[in-house]
């Protein structure tokens, strides 16, 4: 798959030589990659390799020790750059506001910034909830939802922003295979329809190769490889091979 | 510690600057006000009644013995209005509402809800801190006025039914009106207004800076209440000194 040509809406993203340490632990060690406007870029890696930390840097929740991040060529450390572009993040845990209903959560961006009148917001919210397969869940509280439902509400909340760049942190990790496919389709559809640049963090191999234009593998804070899905799949790198081709073998369990 | 003070001053300043946005958050202010009233009105009533009562019990017999019974009403009235109602209610609200603020904001912090707000370009100070501070800054002085009135009533009733004092309710309030000026009540209400800001800022700051999991929330709540109470007592002294002249 190639990045679609009509990618007028998406923004490009560059991460240059990003370093971050917490205490004595080096979490990011010179991460460097580029995502073109309108591309679906998948970042894979084992647990604890720094994927969520990397996303937090891109959305501006953390500041790097060294290195820089550019959106459409502008450094996000420049005041106003993050505000000027619509970036959305789907948190690994969902991060819904527990005191608000599902509808209020999903419509929060519109209502707080007064972008639309209430009836219009209600309509958009229902529409986005339908997209993630949660019609009629408007009045539920987050505590009444399952983990997978929360994740889907979080995706709906990100969609409402009509983002130019979406960061998905493990969008399918708590979903059954069927819902996971629906979400994967949604990621691709959204990207095709609106040309939104998507950065998907996952350790779901199927999702990765289904949606990606390009794939990168992160390990212990470093990118081991990046390239077209086929190239990564064929990679000879031992860590990548182990990660991508790990299979459960009952015979080896004693 | 100095870092904390610096951060709190900064939070105070940011909230002050956000005050013009209060009208947009009016629904949340109303919710918070209701929450404060709902959580504490009954307790305020009971506490104030007994504080007034015990004041009458402690001062009444001593004054009456020395033939100074016309001062009982004034003494109870002034002590309640200037000192006891504002301080005791502030401590009560620190325990009841400050703890709730720290816990709420703390869990929002720990469960990344605040991060989520920031990714939506929603300022947590405007969205979370401002309504809570405005609500407590309005609510606590109202509670204090209420507390003063109930406390006076408690003092009057206790003074009339206690044999060693034996001042009728009418006489008590007549003396009280002689002894208490409007200035005394305003003074107490103003102090409580300052205490409300202290409780709000300390509790919201603790909540927003929570680190660690659920245990971190517990720590924040404890610190919010303890630090609020310490600061209330300290500020009480200095405010009283300031308002003396
Ligand atoms: N705020 C923090 N303070 C200290 N250490 C942190 C912090 N955030 C993350 N870390 C550490 O950074 C490392 C990478 O964490 P991160 O959450 O990015 O992993 P991940 O790749 O997203 O893993 P997973 O797939 O399990 O979500 C972990 O070892 C974690 O302990
Ligand atoms: Mg993660």
């Amino acid at each position: 798959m190639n990045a679609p040509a009509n990618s007028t809406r998406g923004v490009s993203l560059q991460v240059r030589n990003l370093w971050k340490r917490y205490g004595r632990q080096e979490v990011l060690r010179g991460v460097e990659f580029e995502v073109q406007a309108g591309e679906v870029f998948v970042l894979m890696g084992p647990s604890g390799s720094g994927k969520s930390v990397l996303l937090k840097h891109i959305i501006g929740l953390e500041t790097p020790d060294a290195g820089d991040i550019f959106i459409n060529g502008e450094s996000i450390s420049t005041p106003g750059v993050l505000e000027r572009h619509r970036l959305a993040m789907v948190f690994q845990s969902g991060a819904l506001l527990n005191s608000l209903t599902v509808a209020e959560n999903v419509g929060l961006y519109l209502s707080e910034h007064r972008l639309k009148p209430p009836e219009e917001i209600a309509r958009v919210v229902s529409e986005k909830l339908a997209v993630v397969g949660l019609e009629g869940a408007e009045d539920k509280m987050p505590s009444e939802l399952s983990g997978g439902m929360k994740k889907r509400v979080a995706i709906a909340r990100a969609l409402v922003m009509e983002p130019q760049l979406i960061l998905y942190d493990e969008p399918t990790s708590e979903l059954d295979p069927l819902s996971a496919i629906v979400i994967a389709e949604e990621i691709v559809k959204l990207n095709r329809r609106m040309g939104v640049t998507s950065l998907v963090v996952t350790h779901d191999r199927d999702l990765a190769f289904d949606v990606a234009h390009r794939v990168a593998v992160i390990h212990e804070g470093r990118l081991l490889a990046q390239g077209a899905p086929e190239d990564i799949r064929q990679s000879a790198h031992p860590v990548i091979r182990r990660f991508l081709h790990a299979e459960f073998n009952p015979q080896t369990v004693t | 510690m100095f870092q904390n003070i610096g951060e709190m001053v900064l939070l105070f300043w940011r909230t002050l600057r956000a005050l013009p946005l209060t009208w947009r958050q009016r629904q949340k202010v109303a919710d918070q006000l209701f929450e404060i009233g709902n959580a504490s009105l009954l307790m305020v009533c009971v506490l104030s009644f007994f504080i007034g009562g015990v004041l009458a019990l402690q001062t009444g017999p001593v004054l009456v013995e020395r033939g100074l019974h016309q001062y009982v009403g004034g003494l109870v009235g002034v002590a309640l209005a200037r000192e006891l109602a504002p301080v005791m209610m502030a401590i009560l609200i620190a325990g009841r509402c400050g703890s709730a603020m720290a816990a709420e904001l703390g869990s929002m912090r720990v469960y990344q809800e605040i991060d989520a707000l920031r990714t939506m370009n929603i300022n947590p100070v405007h969205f979370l801190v401002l309504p809570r501070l405005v609500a407590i800054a309005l609510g606590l002085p109202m509670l204090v006025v209420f507390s003063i009135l109930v406390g006076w009533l408690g003092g009057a009733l206790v003074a009339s039914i206690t044999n060693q004092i034996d001042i009728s309710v009418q006489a008590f309030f007549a003396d009280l009106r002689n002894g208490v000026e409007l200035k005394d009540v305003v003074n107490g209400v103003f102090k409580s207004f300052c205490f409300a800001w202290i409780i709000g800022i300390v509790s919201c700051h603790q909540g927003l800076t929570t680190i660690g999991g659920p245990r971190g929330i517990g720590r924040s709540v404890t610190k919010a209440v303890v630090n609020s109470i310490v600061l209330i007592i300290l500020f009480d002294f200095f405010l009283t000194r300031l308002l003396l002249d």
Side-chain angles (χ1 to χ4, degrees):
Chain A
M1 272 198 283
N2 283 313
N6 60 338
S7 49
T8 46
R9 295 260 338 264
V11 291
S12 69
L13 168 75
Q14 283 151 287
V15 176
R16 290 249 181 85
N17 194 26
L18 210 63
W19 289 77
K20 180 71 176 183
R21 65 158 68 224
Y22 290 110
R24 263 183 293 132
Q25 187 191 7
E26 293 272 15
V27 177
L28 299 179
R29 302 187 293 169
V31 174
E32 190 150 323
F33 63 91
E34 238 172 83
V35 183
Q36 261 125 51
E39 194 178 25
V40 179
F41 190 88
V42 172
L43 191 67
M44 299 173 81
S47 190
S49 52
K51 305 184 296 293
S52 298
V53 171
L54 175 61
L55 291 192
K56 280 191 204 159
H57 280 83
I58 295 172
I59 197 107
L61 292 172
E62 298 270 358
T63 39
D65 297 335
D68 209 345
I69 295 164
F70 299 88
I71 289 175
N72 271 354
E74 294 177 284
S75 165
I76 62 166
S77 57
T78 314
V81 170
L82 274 174
E83 288 75 16
R84 195 137 29 85
H85 299 101
R86 287 190 305 281
L87 314 187
M89 172 149 167
V90 178
F91 284 82
Q92 194 165 2
S93 60
L96 302 178
L97 274 73
N98 281 304
S99 55
L100 303 182
T101 65
V102 165
E104 287 166 339
N105 262 292
V106 175
L108 188 62
Y109 179 77
L110 300 178
S111 56
E112 265 312 291
H113 295 294
R114 310 194 148 191
L115 298 174
K116 292 194 163 95
E119 317 81 58
E120 182 73 7
I121 293 178
R123 196 185 58 71
V124 173
V125 166
S126 309
E127 181 190 307
K128 301 300 181 200
L129 282 176
V131 165
V132 295
L134 285 174
E135 300 92 342
E138 279 91 344
D139 296 323
K140 289 211 167 69
M141 297 304 287
S143 55
E144 300 168 328
L145 303 179
S146 74
M149 288 162 88
K150 280 185 199 168
K151 190 65 72 66
R152 284 186 280 165
V153 174
I155 293 174
R157 182 173 69 178
L159 298 187
V160 160
M161 292 176 72
E162 305 200 330
Q164 299 169 292
L165 169 64
I166 297 199
L167 312 175
Y168 299 91
D169 198 349
E170 311 271 4
T172 58
S173 63
E174 287 171 72
L175 301 184
D176 60 276
L178 207 61
S179 313
I181 289 175
V182 172
I183 293 301
E185 283 172 357
E186 207 44 53
I187 292 174
V188 172
K189 236 193 272 173
L190 205 72
N191 169 260
R192 293 241 179 94
R193 202 172 56 217
M194 318 209 274
V196 47
T197 312
S198 314
L199 176 53
V200 186
V201 156
T202 183
H203 26 218
D204 178 343
R205 290 171 282 181
D206 296 332
L207 172 75
F209 291 111
D210 286 348
V211 303
H213 297 139
R214 282 193 304 137
V215 179
V217 180
I218 186 172
H219 181 68
E220 293 179 349
R222 269 203 195 97
L223 287 199
L224 294 183
Q226 49 181 315
E230 264 327 294
D231 301 340
I232 298 295
R233 221 198 293 251
Q234 311 290 331
S235 167
H237 196 296
V239 176
I240 299 178
R241 285 197 69 80
R242 244 196 346 261
F243 184 71
L244 290 185
H245 303 290
E247 291 293 344
F248 177 66
N249 183 353
Q251 261 93 57
T252 61
V253 181
T254 50
Chain B
M1 186 178 108
F2 288 108
Q3 190 194 347
N4 277 338
I5 294 175
E7 284 170 8
M8 281 192 278
V9 172
L10 194 66
L11 184 61
F12 179 57
W13 172 238
R14 288 205 182 130
T15 314
L16 280 187
R17 272 205 327 202
L19 273 180
L21 298 171
T22 305
W23 184 245
R24 292 179 64 163
Q25 305 283 358
R26 61 188 179 279
Q27 185 56 45
K28 273 192 240 120
V29 173
D31 292 346
Q32 291 289 331
L33 256 178
F34 177 78
E35 185 65 33
I36 293 173
N38 193 28
S40 52
L41 210 53
L42 185 68
M43 252 196 293
V44 166
C45 242
V46 174
L47 268 183
S48 307
F49 187 89
F50 281 95
I51 292 171
V54 81
L55 256 182
L57 275 184
Q58 291 279 19
T59 57
V62 180
L63 290 175
V64 170
E65 220 172 66
R66 291 165 176 70
L68 300 169
H69 53 85
Q70 74 273 29
Y71 291 117
V72 176
L75 185 63
V76 171
V78 170
L80 269 172
R82 292 187 72 112
E83 181 64 26
L84 282 163
V87 172
M88 297 298 267
M89 291 311 116
I91 290 175
L92 177 73
I93 293 299
R96 195 66 185 72
C97 302
S99 59
M101 285 184 199
E104 268 179 283
L105 297 194
S107 75
M108 294 187 77
R109 161 95 219 168
V110 167
Y111 296 111
Q112 294 193 310
E113 293 178 29
I114 291 181
D115 284 350
L117 285 178
R118 284 170 58 195
T119 66
M120 289 188 274
N121 277 332
I122 297 173
N123 187 332
V125 173
H126 299 180
F127 188 75
L128 300 169
V129 178
L130 178 70
R132 284 175 171 75
L133 273 168
V134 171
I136 199 171
L138 292 175
L140 184 55
M142 289 199 262
L143 284 177
V144 165
V145 170
F146 184 67
S147 159
I148 293 173
L149 296 176
V150 175
W152 285 349
L153 195 67
L157 285 180
V158 168
S160 71
I161 60 171
T162 307
N163 287 336
Q164 291 92 322
I165 309 174
D166 197 26
I167 299 172
S168 74
V169 172
Q170 290 90 330
F172 182 92
F173 274 108
D175 297 341
L176 191 146
R177 208 167 304 141
N178 282 335
V180 181
E181 295 172 47
L182 183 64
K183 188 180 100 208
D184 297 318
V185 176
V186 171
N187 186 314
V189 170
F190 174 75
K191 284 207 293 192
S192 74
F193 180 74
C194 300
F195 298 156
W197 282 95
I198 292 174
I199 298 169
I201 293 286
V202 169
S203 306
C204 288
H205 171 254
Q206 279 300 339
L208 288 177
T209 54
T210 301
I211 39 170
R215 199 187 288 172
I217 301 173
R219 233 182 350 246
S220 287
V221 171
T222 315
K223 273 205 214 153
V225 175
V226 172
N227 293 357
S228 296
I229 292 177
V230 170
L231 283 177
I232 286 167
I233 307 279
L234 289 181
F235 270 76
D236 182 42
F237 178 84
F238 292 107
L239 280 172
T240 306
R241 180 69 196 81
L242 203 75
L243 293 171
L244 210 58
D245 321 301

